[in-house]
Amino acid sequence: MIKIFLGFIVFSALAIFILMKGGDIDMGGEKHGIEEHPPAKTEPAAAPAAAPAAAPAAAPAPAAAEADKK
């Protein structure tokens, strides 16, 4: 039992040492709406390429044209 306790103490000390050397670490949990980030800069969308001309209406199928003649 004492080995588990000593292992926990050593591990805890190591973890605290590493966190202290890591710099500015915030252990405060999630922050909702406290920090405001500046809005992202958006580039205007490039003008789309010239739209292709509308295709002419397709001619009716020959079978349909013959049916109309009857």
Side-chain angles (χ1 to χ4, degrees), residues 1-15:
M1 184 72 177
I2 190 88
K3 290 180 184 179
I4 294 173
F5 180 71
L6 288 175
F8 176 76
I9 297 298
V10 169
F11 181 76
S12 300
L14 180 64

Side-chain angles (χ1 to χ4, degrees), residues 8-37:
F8 176 76
I9 297 298
V10 169
F11 181 76
S12 300
L14 180 64
I16 291 173
F17 175 75
I18 290 172
L19 288 174
M20 294 291 219
K21 291 293 182 181
D24 185 26
I25 297 175
D26 183 14
M27 297 294 289
E30 293 186 37
K31 308 262 188 297
H32 296 284
I34 293 175
E35 291 183 29
E36 290 188 26
H37 297 285

Side-chain angles (χ1 to χ4, degrees), residues 42-66:
T42 56
E43 295 293 327
E66 288 179 22

